[in-house]
């Protein structure tokens, strides 16, 4: 036998409704049947009433006949017979109607026929002989005494009384039948009321019982299913509905349980994956509270996973600069992170943050950069050494050439003239001065690189004389250029480190020549200038050479910097200007440049002429 829980829901619901409908139909059937019976009873009652009425009318006609008959006997006038004859006609008609009316009741019909026969016998044996006798006696004669006797107490009266008695009995019987039928109709009504009341009560009780059974069977099960599904949805993945039923609810419950199994498996899988990845992964709600954190996140931050849940993530981990996370113990680590919003439709409902500790990597990178920097520095130094060696070769070659020339001339007995010797000596001096300057530049550069200031040795120095001397030295070295000096200074004497100042001017001059490869004019100007209560000596060196690209101008005085238009094309080491600026600035002065690429450059040096501006020995 199948349990109720195993029957399909449709069967159960349809069955319950069908049962209720059947009860209602049965009740209606009973009511209809009772109403029909009542109607039949009512028709029978009506007919009985009609029969009683007609019986009474026939009896009344019989009485009229007897009254007319007596009147005629007394009066002897034929007029007095009229009630008798009309009563007789009515009586016959009424008796025929009574017989028709009760034709379905043979006993009743027999009774009416007996009455009819009695009346006929009274008429034939009593009435008609008496009327004949009276007619024979004539209207004015007194009533014959035997007629009187027959009417008063003879057989005639007895005959009539018997007919009348039969009538009375028949009417009484009909009335008894009427009473019985009326009682039955009332009983039937009462039965109908009872049947309806009991039937309705039974129907209601049955409907309630069905509702209770269905409710226990269906509603409770559905509630159980909904509650378990709600708990699973709320994250209690071990919850199961556990309904063992064969109907649709049972199947839905089994499906929910299967879904919960799969969900638990999926989430387990997800958690295992998230636990095994090295990156920290946290899921934040819209306010930044931690909803989920994987093991790596907790490990990196120094918390247990449970301790992180609900914490305001950014406040906990990011207390200062971006890119740095704080651990629970107050230490920090460099972090690289990505944050992706979690969307529901268009609404941002949270974020997933993926982060990793990059301290080690950054450390390695910094070491790499330092290594690379050191390598670059080494390479630059090698480049500089190569460039300086190259620069040294030129004056050395010139000294060697002069000495070889001198030796050959002396060997072949053609000693040089005094002028020649003086010129060669000047060239040797120039070369050694250039070499000295070059080596001094190098020394200064390495001092500066080591973080030491220059050790200035200020002496009274005439900038105009210094510039003129170096310009003529420059002119001697390059016949392709025209080096011109314009001096407008009334006084250009300052308290400066003349050897270093010489290097500054020589550098600017050699640059002007070197970076004007096609020759041309180089102008050296020396002037003085008063700004406020201070006097300045101003030297500018102008050329019409390659000029300097605008983008390179800001870096021009940086050590080892060479402009893009000359690097690789014209030899150099990028030390001259950096050293010059250092020297000029340490004198309290300034050096700057104006240049247009392809048109030439003007370098200007300003030096204070008052001795107080120069520190005797720089710090
Ligand atoms: P070097 O001349 O040995 O390269 P410097 O320090 O003297 O080093 O000059 C730095 C750079 O400035 C040069 O490489 C060059 O690009 C630029 N420069 C200096 N003077 C001139 C000039 N007169 N005309 C064009 N460029 C110049």
């Amino acid at each position: 036998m199948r349990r109720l829980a195993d029957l399909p829901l449709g069967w159960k619901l349809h069955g319950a409704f069908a049962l209720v409908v059947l009860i209602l139909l049965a009740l209606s059937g009973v009511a209809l049947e009772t109403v029909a019976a009542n109607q039949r009873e009512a028709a029978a009652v009506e007919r009985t009433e009609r029969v009683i009425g007609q019986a009474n009318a026939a009896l009344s006609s019989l009485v009229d006949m007897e009254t007319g008959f007596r009147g005629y006997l007394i009066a002897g006038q034929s007029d007095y017979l009229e009630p008798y004859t009309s009563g007789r006609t009515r009586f016959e008609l009424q008796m025929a109607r009574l017989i028709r009316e009760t034709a379905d009741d043979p006993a009743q019909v027999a009774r009416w026929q007996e009455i009819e026969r009695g009346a006929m016998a009274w008429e034939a044996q009593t009435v008609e002989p008496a009327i004949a006798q009276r007619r024979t006696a004539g209207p004015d004669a007194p009533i014959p005494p035997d007629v009187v006797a027959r009417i008063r107490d003879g057989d005639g009266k007895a005959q009539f009384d018997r007919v009348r008695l039969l009538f009375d009995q028949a009417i009484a019987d009909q009335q008894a039948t009427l009473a019985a039928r009326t009682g039955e109709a009332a009983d039937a009504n009462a039965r109908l009321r009872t049947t309806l009341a009991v039937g309705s009560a039974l129907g209601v009780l049955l409907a309630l019982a069905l509702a209770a059974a269905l409710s226990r069977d269906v509603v409770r099960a559905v509630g159980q299913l909904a509650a378990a599904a709600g708990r699973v949805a709320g994250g209690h993945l071990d919850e199961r509905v556990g309904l063992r039923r064969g109907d649709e609810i049972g199947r839905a419950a089994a499906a929910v349980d299967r879904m919960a199994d799969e969900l638990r498996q999926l989430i387990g899988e997800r958690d295992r994956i998230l636990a095994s990845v090295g990156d920290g992964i946290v899921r934040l709600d819209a306010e930044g509270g931690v909803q989920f954190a994987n093991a790596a996140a907790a490990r990196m931050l120094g918390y247990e996973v449970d301790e992180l849940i609900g914490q305001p993530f950014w406040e906990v981990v990011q207390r200062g600069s971006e890119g740095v996370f704080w651990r629970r113990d107050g230490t920090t680590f460099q972090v690289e992170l990505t944050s992706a919003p979690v969307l529901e439709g268009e609404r941002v409902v949270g974020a997933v943050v993926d982060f990793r500790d990059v301290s080690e990597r950054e450390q390695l990178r910094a070491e790499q950069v330092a290594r690379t920097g050191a390598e670059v520095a080494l390479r630059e130094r090698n480049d500089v050494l190569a460039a300086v060696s190259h620069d040294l070769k030129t004056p050395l070659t010139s000294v060697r050439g002069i000495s070889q020339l001198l030796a050959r001339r002396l060997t072949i007995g053609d000693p040089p003239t005094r002028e020649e010797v003086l010129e060669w000596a000047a060239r040797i001096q120039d070369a050694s001065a250039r070499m000295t300057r070059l080596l001094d530049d190098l020394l200064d550069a390495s001092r500066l690189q080591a973080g030491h200031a220059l050790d200035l040795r200020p002496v009274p120095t005439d900038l105009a004389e210094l510039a003129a001397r170096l310009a003529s030295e420059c002119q001697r070295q390059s016949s392709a250029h025209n080096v011109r000096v314009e001096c407008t200074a009334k006084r250009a004497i300052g308290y400066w480190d003349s050897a270093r100042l010489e290097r500054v001017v020589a550098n600017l001059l050699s640059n002007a020549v070197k970076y004007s490869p096609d020759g041309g004019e180089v102008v050296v100007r020396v002037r003085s200038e008063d700004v406020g209560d201070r006097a300045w000596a101003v030297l500018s060196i102008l050329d019409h050479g390659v000029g300097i690209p605008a983008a390179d101008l800001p870096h021009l005085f940086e050590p080892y910097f060479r402009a893009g238009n000359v690097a690789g094309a014209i030899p150099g080491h990028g030390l001259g200007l950096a050293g010059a600026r250092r020297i000029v600035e340490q004198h309290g002065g300034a050096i700057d440049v104006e240049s247009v690429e392809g048109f030439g450059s003007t370098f200007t040096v300003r030096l204070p002429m008052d001795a107080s501006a120069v520190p005797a020995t720089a710090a």
Side-chain angles (χ1 to χ4, degrees):
M1 175 93 172
R2 291 176 80 177
R3 286 186 314 152
L4 181 62
D6 294 334
L7 294 178
L9 263 186
W11 288 18
K12 280 184 275 207
L13 291 173
H14 289 140
F17 281 118
L19 215 56
V20 172
V21 167
L22 270 181
I23 291 171
L24 286 177
L25 281 177
L27 281 176
S28 307
V30 171
L32 279 176
E33 179 51 39
T34 315
V35 167
N38 274 0
Q39 278 173 345
R40 282 197 303 278
E41 282 303 325
V45 165
E46 195 184 304
R47 198 180 66 170
T48 311
E49 280 172 343
R50 218 170 35 245
V51 168
I52 291 171
Q54 280 165 2
N56 277 324
L59 178 60
S60 148
S61 301
L62 194 66
V63 171
D64 285 351
M65 282 167 70
E66 203 228 355
T67 312
F69 163 61
R70 276 173 195 268
Y72 176 70
L73 289 186
I74 294 163
Q77 304 282 333
S78 59
D79 296 353
Y80 284 83
L81 264 183
E82 200 286 323
Y84 170 79
T85 49
S86 67
R88 189 176 188 283
T89 314
R90 280 203 314 279
F91 177 75
E92 276 176 6
L93 279 172
Q94 283 157 343
M95 287 315 287
R97 209 175 292 154
L98 273 173
I99 287 169
R100 240 188 355 264
E101 193 78 58
T102 56
D104 56 345
D105 184 354
Q108 194 62 39
V109 170
R111 200 171 224 174
W112 300 134
Q113 286 170 341
E114 191 185 351
I115 290 172
E116 240 182 346
R117 273 196 308 277
M120 295 301 120
W122 170 69
E123 196 176 25
Q125 291 161 21
T126 307
V127 176
E128 281 173 3
I131 288 174
Q133 262 186 309
R134 184 64 178 99
R135 195 172 289 133
T136 313
D140 300 327
I143 312 170
D146 57 326
V147 171
V148 174
R150 183 177 303 180
I151 294 167
R152 192 179 296 158
D153 42 30
D155 292 345
K157 181 171 179 354
Q159 268 182 321
F160 185 80
D161 286 347
R162 217 182 71 235
V163 171
R164 195 177 172 141
L165 186 69
L166 279 174
F167 250 127
D168 286 342
Q169 278 173 352
I171 289 170
D173 281 356
Q174 285 298 320
Q175 266 162 349
T177 307
L178 179 65
R181 280 189 170 154
T182 310
E184 268 169 33
D187 286 352
N189 273 335
R191 266 201 311 282
L192 175 63
R193 275 197 299 278
T194 311
T195 310
L196 284 178
V198 172
S200 303
L202 277 177
V204 168
L205 280 177
L206 187 68
L208 286 176
L210 280 173
L214 275 180
S215 149
R216 213 177 32 250
D217 181 57
V218 174
V219 178
R220 196 187 293 167
V222 170
Q224 202 175 326
L225 170 62
R231 283 195 296 275
V232 171
H236 301 278
L237 297 179
D238 292 329
E239 277 289 337
R240 293 293 175 275
V241 190
L243 273 178
R244 301 279 166 268
R245 310 166 53 104
D247 63 357
E248 289 88 336
I249 301 173
R251 290 206 295 281
V256 167
D257 285 351
R258 270 202 312 281
M259 260 161 47
D261 284 345
E262 274 181 30
L263 203 59
R264 190 173 54 183
Q265 198 180 332
L266 274 176
I267 288 177
E269 189 74 10
R270 182 201 71 179
D271 287 348
R272 276 192 293 282
I273 291 170
L274 287 176
S276 65
V277 293
D279 280 14
I281 295 172
V282 289
R283 161 78 161 91
L284 307 180
D285 60 24
E287 278 75 44
V290 178
Q291 287 183 329
F292 167 86
N294 71 345
R299 197 173 52 244
M300 273 187 252
L301 296 168
Y303 291 86
E304 294 295 321
V305 169
D306 288 347
E307 290 172 330
L308 278 175
I309 304 299
Q311 298 269 6
F313 183 67
W314 298 113
E315 286 164 36
V316 168
V317 302
Q318 207 172 54
R319 301 181 211 163
S321 53
E322 282 185 15
V324 175
F325 272 14
W326 288 66
R327 295 192 190 89
R328 184 189 205 163
D329 61 9
T331 57
T332 58
F333 60 97
Q334 275 185 290
V335 73
E336 186 178 83
L337 65 87
T338 53
S339 174
V342 177
L343 299 174
E344 256 179 32
E346 305 242 305
R347 206 161 56 92
V348 178
V349 295
V352 172
V353 181
D354 177 326
F355 62 92
R356 66 184 63 150
D357 183 347
V358 291
S359 306
E360 210 169 303
R361 197 186 73 192
E362 288 302 308
Q363 171 98 22
L364 285 175
R365 188 178 293 168
E367 284 170 14
Q368 173 84 27
V369 166
R371 245 196 328 271
T372 317
E375 281 164 10
V376 167
L378 198 64
R379 206 165 45 240
E380 281 174 348
R381 195 162 297 170
N382 286 340
D383 291 350
V384 168
L385 278 179
V388 169
S389 311
H390 178 270
D391 282 1
L392 277 174
K393 258 185 205 159
T394 317
L396 270 176
T397 310
S398 127
V399 170
R400 201 169 58 200
I402 292 169
S403 65
Q404 283 172 347
L405 181 62
L406 180 60
R408 196 167 56 243
R409 293 278 295 272
L410 288 175
T411 312
I412 60 170
D414 180 19
T417 60
R418 186 174 176 273
E419 287 73 31
E420 280 176 323
V421 170
L422 283 176
E423 193 204 319
W424 293 349
R427 286 222 205 143
I428 289 169
Q429 269 175 6
D430 288 351
S432 65
R434 274 164 61 201
M435 285 191 289
T436 308
R437 281 198 295 270
L438 210 55
L439 292 171
D440 284 345
D441 273 350
L442 259 185
L443 276 175
D444 276 0
S446 62
R447 277 181 67 80
L448 290 173
Q449 227 169 19
H452 302 298
L454 302 178
D455 184 12
L456 294 185
R457 294 202 176 82
V459 290
T461 309
D462 184 351
L463 185 62
E465 181 276 325
L466 186 148
R469 181 162 41 87
L470 291 171
S472 61
E473 186 185 313
C474 179
Q475 183 66 80
R476 271 198 300 276
Q477 284 158 18
S478 171
S479 51
H481 295 83
N482 176 22
V483 184
R484 192 157 54 86
V485 179
E486 293 176 2
C487 182
T488 59
K490 284 185 233 118
R491 188 178 76 89
I493 299 172
Y495 196 65
W496 304 309
D497 183 330
S498 69
R500 287 201 164 91
L501 212 54
E502 205 172 286
R503 269 165 39 213
V504 171
V505 179
N507 251 314
L508 295 178
L509 272 170
S510 70
N511 278 350
V513 168
K514 183 164 68 168
Y515 297 118
S516 307
D518 302 330
E521 195 176 42
V522 173
V523 183
V524 181
R525 287 196 187 109
V526 181
R527 57 194 168 92
S528 63
E529 187 173 273
D530 291 333
V531 179
D533 56 353
R534 297 190 73 180
W536 298 81
V538 182
L539 166 103
S540 39
I541 296 177
L542 177 153
D543 67 66
H544 302 285
V546 295
I548 299 155
D552 290 336
L553 283 173
H555 308 287
L556 212 63
F557 295 96
E558 291 169 13
Y560 306 113
F561 181 84
R562 306 204 67 220
N565 60 336
V566 304
I570 301 174
H573 38 72
L575 277 179
L577 288 183
R581 181 171 73 169
R582 191 64 202 226
I583 291 167
V584 171
E585 283 179 355
Q586 220 172 308
H587 277 90
I591 179 167
D592 55 57
V593 60
E594 283 172 44
S595 181
V596 176
E597 193 180 0
F599 285 92
S601 314
T602 302
F603 285 83
T604 304
V605 173
R606 282 187 174 72
L607 289 166
M609 286 198 275
D610 44 342
S612 62
V614 184
T617 301

